[in-house]
Amino acid sequence: MPPASLKTRERLSEVRYEIRGELARRARELEAQGRTLIKLNIGNPGAFGFRAPAHLQRAIVDGIDQTDPYTHQQGLPAAREALAAHYRGRGIPDAHAERVFIGNGVSELIDLSLRALLNPGDEVLLPSPDYPLWSAATILNDGRPVYYRCLPANGFLPDPDEIEALVSSRTRAIVLINPNNPTGANYPRELIERIVAIAARHGLLLLCDEIYDSILYDTARFQPVAPIAGDVPCLSFSGLSKVHRACGWRVGWAVLSGDALAVREFHHAMDLLGALRLCANVPGQFAVEAALQGPNTIDPLCAPEGRLYEARRAVVESVAASRHLDLVEPAGALYAFPSVTGAAAEGFDDHRFALELLETENVLVVPGSSFNVPYRNHFRVTLLPQPDELREVFRRIERVLDRMAGDAATPVQARAALA
Ligand SMILES: Cc1ncc(COP(=O)(O)O)c(C=O)c1O
């Protein structure tokens, strides 16, 4: 008799990560058959020819002799000191090395922080659209995601009144992703002030995913949450993956701020969970000080003629020239989140569209509904390819949408006759 099939955690059925899901698997099959694809599904700068800055690489090479042992569970002391100084410089006076946690990417720290916080049935207020790890980590740590809307009609910014109306006796935290993945929205100070006031009124932890904190275009300016939050408990996340183009090194951090008494138990829980996994990857941590104290290498990429700036321009211009697309221009981060409008939007299904684009035009995008939105007429692309390649991508997208709009314009009987 064959062995019984292994059962897995039931709540995994509620979890999705389509950025690397079904469509990405189909893309790998097509590549194995010899097709050349343009894959815009992952915000992975190294896969598009970006390199981590040389001074960061050098810092790892110089430190490599010291990287054999485990380090402190919260991270290498020198790296945490550098991070504490950096966040004090941002206006968080209580940022000390003991309040800094270094992890294997922000990803690990998202999971640890929710595990430290949640009891079964506790609620977390999450943006919709979200970066889907936030939903997954909430669910897998026995919490319940409650979504506040960031609607395209409002520039993908949330409405603080709606956030407050969703607070219940079970709410524990508000997650902010700013600058935002997938929309590119950048939150203004007044909006952040209102959200901080909600957290203060209801005793909630602010979980601020600021991994794109230095990737901004044109006049957009980043506003960190923690300096505004002051005594309100706040965990600010960032890392080396995006701003420093070193996704593969798996280095992220979270800085705890707020009233010492209010955060004491949570601090202890984070430290304990960090200790259970011993420590984060040590070699990568040697690059942290160099990243914070060395030359700024991201601004030139985001300024006119910089690669990210010109990629964003290619997307904005392509959408403007499209018969079927609309876009809230991204103010920051590495993505654009266009919507399909008009005849092509009739009966539009973002998954069917993404599959057709892959099968017929060799382009891989992520359907908008993968980011936990109820509507199905958006998709996400990264701004990481060369600008000309992005223009080519949008020519191919236009061909698929032309066909869909043509189909929508053809009466049902005629379609049946053609079939
Ligand atoms: C908003 C957001 N948070 C967190 C992460 C995870 O980053 P890391 O590589 O540090 O785990 C990503 C990666 O794309 C992201 O977009």
Side-chain angles (χ1 to χ4, degrees):
M1 207 169 73
S5 154
L6 290 175
K7 295 267 180 280
T8 54
R9 195 180 157 92
E10 282 166 13
R11 292 204 76 188
L12 275 168
S13 65
E14 297 168 52
V15 166
R16 317 186 311 182
Y17 194 69
E18 287 165 35
I19 296 169
R20 290 174 183 251
E22 204 56 41
L23 283 159
R25 268 192 291 282
R26 177 65 185 145
R28 278 198 300 277
E29 276 172 22
L30 293 174
E31 283 178 320
Q33 293 164 16
R35 287 240 220 138
T36 304
L37 304 179
I38 305 180
K39 293 192 287 186
L40 306 175
N41 56 324
I42 307 184
N44 187 7
F48 293 86
F50 289 87
R51 300 300 312 272
H55 64 284
L56 272 64
Q57 297 182 348
R58 223 173 16 251
I60 294 182
V61 172
D62 291 347
I64 201 77
D65 278 353
Q66 302 163 63
T67 61
D68 296 351
Y70 294 128
T71 185
H72 187 279
Q73 60 263 24
Q74 288 186 207
L76 209 61
R80 284 189 290 133
E81 288 292 351
L83 281 160
H86 179 74
Y87 278 79
R88 282 198 298 276
R90 256 190 194 180
I92 310 169
D94 58 0
H96 298 298
E98 315 82 71
R99 284 182 157 201
V100 176
F101 304 86
I102 296 180
N104 292 303
V106 168
S107 301
E108 184 187 46
L109 294 166
I110 288 174
D111 188 40
L112 281 192
S113 60
L114 289 167
R115 201 171 330 154
L117 185 72
L118 298 177
N119 283 302
D122 281 349
E123 295 173 1
V124 180
L125 292 172
L126 295 170
S128 166
D130 76 337
Y131 174 63
L133 174 62
W134 279 105
S135 291
T138 298
I139 290 165
L140 293 175
N141 288 299
D142 292 328
R144 196 168 85 82
V146 174
Y147 294 101
Y148 62 85
R149 295 175 304 170
C150 302
L151 293 172
N154 194 33
F156 288 120
L157 299 177
D159 171 359
D161 291 332
E162 178 175 323
I163 295 179
E164 187 149 30
L166 292 168
V167 174
S168 79
S169 59
R170 300 305 309 265
T171 309
R172 303 298 317 284
I174 306 177
V175 172
L176 298 177
I177 305 173
N178 179 49
N180 190 268
N181 175 10
T183 66
N186 180 47
Y187 294 3
R189 186 183 172 96
E190 311 75 62
L191 175 62
I192 293 172
E193 283 171 350
R194 290 192 58 195
I195 296 173
V196 165
I198 296 166
R201 271 197 292 281
H202 300 278
L204 308 177
L205 172 64
L206 288 158
L207 293 167
C208 307
D209 185 339
E210 298 175 338
I211 193 165
Y212 300 102
D213 56 7
S214 303
I215 305 183
L216 291 154
Y217 309 103
D218 291 330
T219 54
R221 292 286 166 273
F222 168 65
Q223 173 62 61
V225 175
I228 296 176
D231 275 351
V232 179
C234 182
L235 199 55
S236 306
F237 300 84
S238 195
L240 297 184
S241 288
K242 311 294 175 171
V243 172
H244 303 278
R245 288 92 67 204
C247 290
W249 298 357
R250 310 310 299 126
V251 179
W253 53 80
V255 179
L256 183 61
S257 57
D259 178 74
L261 218 56
V263 301
R264 196 173 59 183
E265 217 177 302
F266 180 74
H267 187 162
H268 178 68
M270 286 290 289
D271 182 63
L272 174 63
L273 293 175
L276 288 170
R277 63 81 161 103
L278 305 175
C279 70
N281 155 50
V282 177
Q285 295 187 46
F286 273 81
V288 170
E289 231 179 315
L292 300 174
Q293 293 164 5
N296 177 331
T297 59
I298 189 69
D299 281 359
L301 294 170
C302 299
E305 296 183 18
R307 168 124 170 229
L308 292 172
Y309 186 92
E310 295 306 325
R312 171 175 166 275
R313 189 209 300 268
V315 171
V316 168
E317 288 177 0
S318 298
V319 170
S322 164
R323 288 173 292 279
H324 311 290
L325 294 174
D326 206 352
L327 178 69
V328 176
E329 290 184 16
L334 296 176
Y335 314 93
F337 199 55
S339 61
V340 177
T341 60
E346 269 176 51
F348 185 85
D349 178 275
D350 55 2
H351 270 266
R352 222 178 41 211
F353 161 72
L355 190 59
E356 182 159 344
L357 185 65
L358 177 63
E359 299 283 353
T360 65
E361 299 286 353
N362 299 315
V363 171
L364 178 60
V365 298
V366 187
S369 53
S370 315
F371 301 92
N372 294 301
V373 292
Y375 43 85
R376 298 189 74 97
N377 67 326
H378 285 66
F379 61 93
R380 189 193 78 169
V381 296
T382 79
L383 303 178
L384 290 166
Q386 292 286 356
D388 282 348
E389 193 166 40
L390 279 166
R391 288 183 202 276
E392 171 58 23
V393 160
F394 277 86
R395 278 193 286 276
R396 297 186 196 183
I397 288 174
E398 196 72 0
R399 280 203 292 267
V400 171
L401 294 175
D402 277 345
R403 284 202 293 275
M404 288 182 154
D407 283 354
T410 311
V412 177
Q413 302 90 318
R415 253 182 277 158
L418 286 173

